[in-house]
């Protein structure tokens, strides 16, 4: 078929596919077409068995797919949108072995993408849409929620409805396409292809959309606003879930198989209207027909799908009710923490569920004391007041508590007093230091303003216990986290004086604190690897600990306080930013190298740790060499050198040669690697680290990503050594005096671009990458003809042992003539056997040896210059009649003239050409 384009050019004509003079393949088709071979002659890129490349799979068995996922298909045979039209029956257009073909959906002739075009033959044919589909790409529009009309996708697929919940009539073809592999804004698919055959551009839209991943990364919505749903929609910010990019959150309300249409969300799509499921309420009861679900249910998306029927008190009100105080009514629920029946016994006798619907729905604040409570309530629309409250008197411990307005903050101080009025024992001093009621009375007080729900507040006993207070002995001494190891006595100030709790640094007069990793942080010895904080001032403590001065509340709050943002956990393992960005242990000794140099990097004394995150997978770690294989943990590190172990510092490049010169450590292909020269003709004096990073990079062989200030990509063995576009490949960025591939200089000589390492080896004897190849690296030594007058044996010892066939006709010529090239010739002899004919006998410079391969593409470079000393007469030697051209079949060899060995013109060099 391609040959016919010589006649038709870029125009597609009947003759491209049909030969009117030959009917071997039926219908005068040029080739057999039983499996759409003719389609693939032009559309080969769409011969895919999966949708991963962005095109609908073909050559897959339909019945096998149905058996594997029966719920996803209409049945064992596709549905015909128009049974009266045999050509729209997709099931009749499978291959002989039941596989989907291009022609299952497409038809070359009489196809206008409508199933209705067949009326007693194709009498209803239209101009079509150009897609040559057998049936309708879209079905007829239907009312919202109605059964979808059939379209080309639902001829076979089922289980998914159109996106038509509000009459928008978005059908399969609007979001999906059979062939979506090409994006003009991303022609190489560098940004990845969409899965599920999702279009890159929604109809009528010019911006890209993406749907490249599966599982938890599906891009309904993404961080750049290019998710598939964002192609048409801006998710309303009023719904909290719309801030999420997690597809699981999206699918809570929006599902492709939604009963009201794909991705349409509504209450009745799950529950029915009214709900008919009886598991949530008493059988036999009739559900309310109110059209406002929020009257009984919390309709906030934040609590939707929590597997709880939110008809409890907290389903609407929360627990405790958390409406803003004073807007418009007051709110003190958070300070009481009682179950609802404590004050609303008439509405709920259980405290958790509505037990009297009549009272609940009467629109009045029904405040009634429950068991164990007594009070007098005075109603006000803004909240009301309570008096004679048994809770506030402590059942007689306090006398005559004042009436309290609902919504007013009372707190413990409201009844017990503050630091100026509560003077018993050491209360005043503790309150002045910021201690709260719950610190010592946690069984009673949740905070200074909130009681513990159902706690011990009204048991007429003073409970002394707290989160940092283990208890108080009979003589009132405390074992408390506030005072660390000290045990001060309640009311005796001297037992809790400064210096009784912990050591600091020597300057205040105490010993240097050495618990945990303190010493590692303060030490300044020659082997210290820590930050060496000064021991002469407590300001060093402030590097980690907040301190606003004694007796500040933070200093005696019962916990070891860290600076805001430090991130350390009191349990002993956490981050200590900015120095340690990863979790470290205060008590487990020295941190690992990886904790600072991988992931989020440490920043110590303003210096960011070097990123060695690739060391384990792409550096020496991949070969089983951990950090301590090369580095000494005990040497000074921060602000010092790289602390290599001693054997790696004894000589130049010893950090590499220590292993790479040891056959017991490295494999043969990495043994005795030579270093490169730094000047042309100089010694191999380049540091290995100039090109390699032993900690690994994104490149192969630990090649640095930046060399000589230029970005380097070397991710495929054999490629990336030279870059013909930028002329700044790995082996170009430094070279300015080489014969080939200089930095920034376009290479025009045809020098090889691949297989470089076959001649330029890293372990060359004199220096890395010095050329080591012999003449037979590019062509035979000598090139052998493919045809000779008589059989010639070669490729054996003493019979042209390095000869091989040349790669173009005529190239071998008469090389295998003993008088031309000795049968004993070896490739290691180099020019000695070639110069007499190709370099005029000169054995020095060889300007005509272009070294461009493959030779068949550079026949023009072949130079014949016979040594003039071999002339027969007093004139110049001549090689005449040759056509040195790389045009296939156009080359010709010539004859030698005025050569002593050929007194008259010789026969042509090759009997082939």
């Amino acid at each position: 078929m391609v040959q016919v384009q010589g006649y038709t050019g870029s125009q597609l004509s009947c003759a491209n596919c049909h030969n009117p003079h030959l009917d071997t393949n039926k219908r005068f088709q040029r080739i057999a077409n039983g499996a759409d071979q003719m389609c693939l002659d032009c559309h080969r890129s769409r011969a895919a068995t999966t949708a991963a490349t962005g095109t609908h799979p073909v050559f897959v068995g339909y019945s096998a797919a149905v058996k594997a996922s029966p719920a996803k298909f209409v049945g064992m045979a596709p549905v015909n949108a128009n049974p009266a039209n045999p050509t729209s029956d997709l099931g009749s257009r499978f291959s002989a072995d039941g596989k989907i073909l291009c022609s299952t959906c497409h038809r070359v002739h009489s196809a206008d993408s409508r199933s209705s075009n067949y009326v007693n033959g194709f009498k209803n044919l239209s101009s079509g849409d150009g897609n040559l589909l057998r049936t309708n790409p879209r079905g007829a529009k239907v009312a919202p929620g109605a059964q979808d009309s059939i379209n080309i996708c639902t001829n076979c697929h089922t289980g998914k409805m159109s996106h038509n919940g509000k009459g928008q009539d978005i059908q399969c073809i609007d979001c999906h396409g059979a062939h979506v592999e090409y994006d003009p804004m991303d022609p190489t698919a560098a940004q990845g292809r969409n899965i599920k055959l999702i279009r890159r551009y929604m109809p009528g839209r010019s911006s890209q959309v993406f749907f490249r991943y599966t599982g938890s990364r599906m891009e309904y919505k993404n961080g750049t606003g290019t998710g598939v749903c964002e192609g048409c929609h801006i998710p309303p910010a009023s719904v909290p879930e719309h801030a999420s990019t997690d597809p699981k959150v999206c699918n809570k309300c929006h599902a492709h198989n939604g009963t009201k249409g794909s991705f349409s969300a509504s209450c009745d799509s799950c529950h029915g209207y009214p709900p008919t499921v009886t598991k949530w309420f008493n059988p036999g009861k009739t559900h309310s027909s109110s059209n406002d679900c929020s009257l009984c249910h919390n309709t906030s998306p934040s609590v939707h799908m929590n597997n709880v029927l939110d008809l409890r008190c907290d389903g609407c009100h929360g627990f405790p009710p958390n409406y803003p105080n004073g807007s418009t009514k007051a709110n003190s629920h958070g300070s009481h923490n009682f179950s609802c029946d404590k004050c609303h016994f008439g509405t709920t006798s259980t405290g958790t569920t509505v037990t009297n619907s009549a009272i609940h729905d009467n629109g009045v604040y029904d405040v009634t004391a429950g068991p164990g409570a007594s009070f007098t309530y005075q109603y006000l629309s803004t909240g009301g007041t309570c008096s004679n409250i048994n809770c506030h008197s402590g059942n007689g411990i306090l006398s005559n508590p004042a009436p309290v307005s609902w919504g007013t903050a009372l707190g413990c101080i409201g009844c017990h007093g503050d630091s100026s009025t509560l003077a018993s024992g050491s209360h005043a001093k503790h309150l002045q230091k910021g201690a709260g009621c719950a610190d010592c009375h946690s069984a009673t007080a949740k905070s200074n303003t909130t009681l513990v729900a159902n706690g011990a507040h009204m048991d007429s006993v003073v409970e002394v216990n707290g989160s940092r207070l283990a208890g108080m002995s009979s003589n009132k001494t405390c074992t408390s986290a506030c005072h660390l190891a000290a045990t001060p006595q309640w009311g005796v100030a001297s037992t809790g004086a400064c210096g009784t709790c912990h050591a600091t640094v020597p300057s205040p007069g105490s010993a240097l604190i050495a618990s945990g990793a303190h010493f590692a942080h303060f030490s300044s010895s020659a082997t210290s690897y820590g930050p060496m904080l000064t021991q002469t001032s407590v300001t060093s403590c402030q590097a980690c600990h907040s301190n606003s001065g004694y007796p500040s509340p933070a200093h005696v709050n019962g916990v070891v306080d860290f600076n805001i943002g430090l991130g350390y956990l009191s349990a002993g393992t956490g981050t200590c930013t900015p120095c340690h960005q990863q979790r470290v242990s205060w008590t487990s000794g020295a941190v690992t190298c990886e904790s600072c140099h991988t992931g989020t990097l440490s920043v110590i004394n303003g210096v960011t740790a070097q990123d060695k995150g690739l060391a384990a997978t792409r550096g020496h770690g991949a070969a089983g060499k951990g950090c301590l294989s090369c580095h000494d943990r005990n040497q000074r590190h921060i602000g010092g050198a790289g602390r290599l172990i001693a054997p790696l510092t004894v000589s130049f490049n010893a950090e590499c040669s220590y292993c790479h010169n040891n056959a017991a450590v490295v494999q043969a292909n990495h043994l005795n690697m030579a270093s490169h020269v730094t000047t042309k003709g100089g010694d191999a004096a380049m540091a290995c680290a100039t090109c390699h990073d032993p900690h690994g990079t994104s490149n192969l062989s630990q090649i640095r990503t930046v060399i000589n200030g230029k970005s380097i990509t070397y991710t495929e063995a054999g490629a990336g050594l030279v870059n013909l576009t930028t002329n700044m490949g790995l082996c170009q960025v430094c070279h300015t005096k080489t014969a080939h591939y200089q930095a920034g200089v376009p290479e025009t000589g045809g020098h090889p671009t691949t297989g470089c390492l076959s001649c330029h080896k890293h372990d060359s004897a004199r220096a890395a990458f010095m050329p080591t190849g012999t003449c037979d690296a590019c062509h035979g030594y000598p090139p052998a003809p493919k045809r000779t007058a008589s059989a010639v044996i070669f490729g054996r010892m003493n019979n042209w042992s390095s000869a091989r066939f040349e790669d173009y006709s005529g190239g071998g010529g008469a090389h295998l003539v003993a008088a031309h090239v000795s049968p004993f010739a070896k490739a290691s002899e180099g020019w000695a056997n070639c110069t007499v004919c190709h370099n005029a006998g000169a054995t020095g410079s060889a300007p005509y040896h272009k070294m461009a391969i493959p030779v068949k593409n550079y026949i023009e470079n072949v130079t014949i210059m016979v040594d003039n000393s071999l002339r027969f007469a007093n004139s110049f030697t001549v090689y005449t009649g040759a056509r040195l051209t790389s045009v296939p079949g156009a080359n010709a060899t010539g004859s030698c003239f005025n050569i002593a060995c050929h007194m008259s013109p010789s026969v042509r060099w090759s009997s082939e050409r």
Side-chain angles (χ1 to χ4, degrees):
M1 292 170 67
V2 174
Q3 295 175 347
V4 181
Q5 289 182 328
Y7 303 103
T8 63
S10 61
Q11 299 294 320
L12 186 65
S13 72
C14 303
N16 282 87
C17 300
H18 299 281
N19 183 348
H21 307 294
L22 185 64
D23 192 23
T24 303
N25 299 306
K26 296 182 180 180
R27 298 179 181 176
F28 298 98
Q29 293 175 339
R30 289 188 174 273
I31 61 175
N33 197 36
D36 285 359
Q37 296 94 319
M38 296 181 72
C39 300
L40 301 182
D41 208 38
C42 295
H43 303 284
R44 178 68 58 181
S45 64
R46 290 176 174 174
T49 57
T50 72
T53 60
T55 186
H56 192 285
V58 291
F59 304 116
V60 294
Y62 179 83
S63 61
V66 174
K67 291 176 181 178
S69 301
K72 295 182 179 180
F73 293 88
V74 297
M76 294 304 293
V79 176
N80 188 350
N82 180 11
N85 183 356
T87 67
S88 63
D89 182 8
L90 307 188
S92 67
R93 286 303 305 167
F94 295 147
S95 66
D97 55 353
K99 293 181 179 177
I100 299 171
L101 302 172
C102 305
S103 57
T104 300
C105 297
H106 297 279
R107 192 167 191 261
V108 177
H109 301 294
S110 302
D112 60 359
S113 301
R114 295 188 307 144
S115 62
S116 60
N117 61 14
Y118 190 89
V119 179
N120 296 322
F122 293 101
K123 295 180 181 180
N124 193 29
L125 195 66
S126 68
S127 58
D129 59 4
N131 292 320
L132 299 177
L133 295 173
R134 291 180 172 274
T135 187
N136 313 312
R138 297 175 56 84
K141 183 176 180 179
V142 299
Q147 179 67 38
D148 293 333
S149 299
I150 193 169
N151 59 45
I152 193 169
C153 298
T154 56
N155 279 122
C156 299
H157 300 280
T158 189
K160 302 292 189 293
M161 294 182 65
S162 295
H163 185 35
N164 194 38
K166 295 185 178 181
Q168 59 268 59
D169 192 33
I170 302 300
Q171 300 190 26
C172 309
I173 202 72
D174 293 312
C175 297
H176 302 272
H179 308 292
V180 295
E181 70 273 23
Y182 180 71
D183 179 356
M185 294 180 63
D186 183 22
T188 62
Q191 295 173 281
R193 288 191 172 92
N194 288 349
I195 63 170
K196 309 291 187 183
L197 297 179
I198 292 293
R199 294 181 181 276
R200 187 57 58 88
Y201 302 91
M202 294 294 109
R205 310 283 175 147
S206 60
S207 57
Q208 293 173 304
V209 298
F210 294 96
F211 196 68
R212 297 164 291 193
Y213 313 115
T214 60
S216 62
R217 299 182 63 201
M218 288 191 292
E219 295 173 288
Y220 295 120
K221 180 178 184 291
N222 59 28
T224 59
T226 57
V228 63
C229 298
E230 295 169 297
C232 299
H233 302 284
I234 299 176
S238 58
V239 179
E241 281 78 1
H242 285 169
S244 175
T245 59
D246 186 346
K248 294 180 180 178
V249 175
C250 302
N251 289 145
K252 286 182 178 179
C253 299
H254 305 278
H256 204 330
N257 58 350
T259 57
K260 294 295 184 180
S262 285
F263 302 110
S264 294
S266 65
C267 296
D268 60 334
S269 64
C270 294
H271 303 289
Y273 184 75
T276 57
V277 180
T278 59
K279 65 175 290 187
W280 298 111
F281 47 90
N282 294 331
K285 292 289 186 71
T286 301
H287 192 280
S288 170
S289 60
S290 171
N291 59 6
D292 186 356
C293 302
S294 64
L295 291 176
C296 300
H297 302 281
N298 186 346
T299 57
S300 170
S302 63
V303 298
H304 190 234
M305 297 178 67
N306 62 359
N307 207 35
V308 175
L309 180 63
D310 292 307
L311 192 58
R312 303 174 304 176
C313 301
D314 60 349
C316 297
H317 303 285
F319 185 80
N322 58 358
Y323 57 88
N325 187 25
S327 60
T328 58
K329 56 189 177 183
N331 186 7
S332 292
H333 287 99
S335 300
H336 288 74
N337 282 336
F338 296 121
S339 58
C340 302
D341 62 316
K342 200 75 165 179
C343 300
H344 302 283
F345 190 74
T347 302
T348 169
S349 60
T350 64
T352 57
T353 59
V354 175
T355 56
N356 190 319
S357 299
I359 294 179
H360 181 247
D361 296 337
N362 63 8
V364 177
Y365 297 145
D366 291 291
V367 181
T368 307
S374 63
F375 54 81
T376 302
Y377 173 69
Q378 178 64 47
Y379 170 79
L380 287 174
S381 60
T382 56
T385 60
C386 290
S387 59
N388 302 319
I389 312 167
N390 69 322
C391 308
H392 290 200
S393 68
N395 285 326
I397 295 178
L398 299 177
S399 59
N400 301 318
V404 181
S405 297
W406 186 251
T408 301
L410 181 63
C412 302
I413 294 174
C415 295
H416 296 282
D418 56 19
S419 59
S420 62
T421 59
L422 184 59
S424 61
S426 299
H427 277 112
K429 195 163 190 176
H430 281 75
L431 292 174
Q432 292 169 2
K433 304 301 185 294
C437 305
D439 292 331
C440 299
H441 304 288
S442 60
T444 303
K446 187 175 183 180
S447 68
N448 285 357
T449 58
T450 307
L451 299 175
V452 174
N454 301 315
H457 185 244
M458 296 184 295
D459 64 354
S460 302
V461 176
V462 178
E463 283 85 12
V464 180
N465 49 50
S467 58
R468 297 187 300 275
L469 179 66
M472 179 176 284
S473 65
S474 58
N475 64 351
K476 295 189 176 182
T477 57
C478 293
T479 303
S480 168
C482 305
H483 299 276
L484 301 180
T487 55
Q489 186 175 4
W490 186 252
V492 182
S494 61
T495 59
C498 184
T500 62
C501 297
H502 62 79
T504 54
V505 292
S507 57
S510 64
L512 175 66
I513 188 169
S515 59
H518 279 109
F519 182 80
H521 285 72
F522 281 102
S523 175
S524 58
S525 68
T527 59
S528 173
Y529 64 87
M532 294 173 284
L533 300 174
T534 178
Q535 301 179 23
T536 61
S537 172
V538 293
T539 56
S540 294
C541 304
Q542 296 171 11
C544 299
H545 301 286
S546 57
N547 176 30
S548 55
Y550 181 80
S552 69
H555 190 82
V556 290
N557 62 0
V559 296
V560 178
D561 291 297
F562 298 99
N563 288 329
I564 296 175
L566 197 62
Y568 198 76
L569 305 177
S570 59
T573 56
T575 59
C576 276
T577 55
C579 301
H580 300 282
Q581 298 286 352
Q582 301 183 40
R583 297 175 81 76
V584 294
S585 174
W586 182 250
T587 58
S588 298
V591 296
T592 64
C593 303
E594 291 83 355
S595 69
C596 292
H597 291 281
T598 63
T600 305
L601 304 175
S602 294
V603 181
I604 300 176
N605 294 339
V607 179
T608 302
Q610 297 179 4
D611 189 351
K612 307 300 180 184
L614 294 176
T617 57
R618 300 187 66 87
H620 279 64
K625 298 294 182 182
C627 303
L628 300 183
S629 297
C630 300
H631 298 284
D632 185 350
R633 176 191 292 279
N634 296 318
Q635 288 188 29
R636 179 169 291 181
H637 181 38
I638 301 173
R643 57 180 188 171
L644 293 173
I645 60 176
L648 307 189
T649 63
V650 296
S651 63
F652 180 68
N653 277 337
E655 63 269 33
C656 299
S657 61
Y658 181 73
C659 290
H660 285 276
N661 287 359
N662 187 344
V665 177
V666 298
Q667 298 176 352
N669 60 331
H670 293 134
L671 186 64
N672 297 324
M673 295 288 104
S675 179
H676 202 14
V677 298
T678 55
T679 58
K680 188 172 183 177
D683 295 328
M686 181 179 288
C688 303
T690 302
C691 297
H692 298 279
D693 183 346
H695 299 98
T697 70
S698 57
N699 287 329
L700 297 176
S701 302
Q702 299 166 27
I703 294 295
R704 293 187 179 276
T705 55
V706 176
I707 298 177
N708 203 21
K710 301 296 181 181
S711 179
I712 298 298
T713 299
Y714 182 61
T715 56
E716 182 179 351
L721 298 174
V722 295
N723 187 317
L724 300 182
T725 301
T726 65
N727 299 301
M728 285 293 179
L730 172 57
C731 292
Q732 293 169 286
V733 291
C734 300
H735 293 165
T736 59
K737 296 183 179 180
T738 52
H740 300 281
Y741 297 116
Q742 295 182 5
V745 179
E747 179 68 23
T748 58
H751 201 65
T753 60
T754 60
C756 307
L757 299 179
S758 61
C759 294
H760 302 273
K761 299 181 183 298
H762 203 324
D763 58 354
S764 295
R766 192 171 73 80
F769 308 116
M770 296 295 288
T772 59
T774 55
C775 293
D776 61 343
C778 298
H779 51 70
Y781 190 86
K786 296 181 179 178
R787 185 176 69 190
T788 58
S790 58
V792 179
I793 298 174
F794 65 90
R796 300 180 183 178
M797 184 177 292
N798 298 332
N799 282 93
W800 299 287
S801 58
S802 297
R804 68 172 182 269
F805 290 126
E806 189 49 275
D807 64 357
Y808 69 96
S809 181
H815 283 107
L816 301 189
V817 174
H820 290 159
V821 179
S822 169
F824 303 102
K826 298 182 180 63
S828 58
E829 296 171 1
W831 270 109
N833 294 296
C834 307
T835 183
V836 64
C837 293
H838 292 286
N839 204 37
T843 59
S845 175
Y848 307 109
H849 191 201
K850 302 295 187 181
M851 294 184 288
I853 58 174
V855 179
K856 66 180 179 181
N857 293 341
Y858 298 95
I859 298 176
E860 295 86 352
N861 289 347
V862 177
T863 301
I864 311 298
M865 295 184 66
V866 183
D867 188 348
N868 208 42
S869 66
L870 299 179
R871 65 187 182 277
F872 175 69
N874 190 17
S875 181
F876 292 100
T877 57
V878 176
Y879 178 70
T880 183
R883 290 196 304 274
L884 299 176
T885 175
S886 298
V887 176
N891 67 301
T893 59
S895 302
C896 292
F897 184 76
N898 197 31
I899 305 288
C901 46
H902 298 285
M903 291 179 289
S904 59
S906 70
V907 296
R908 284 190 179 276
W909 177 250
S910 170
S911 61
E912 296 178 81
R913 305 297 301 175

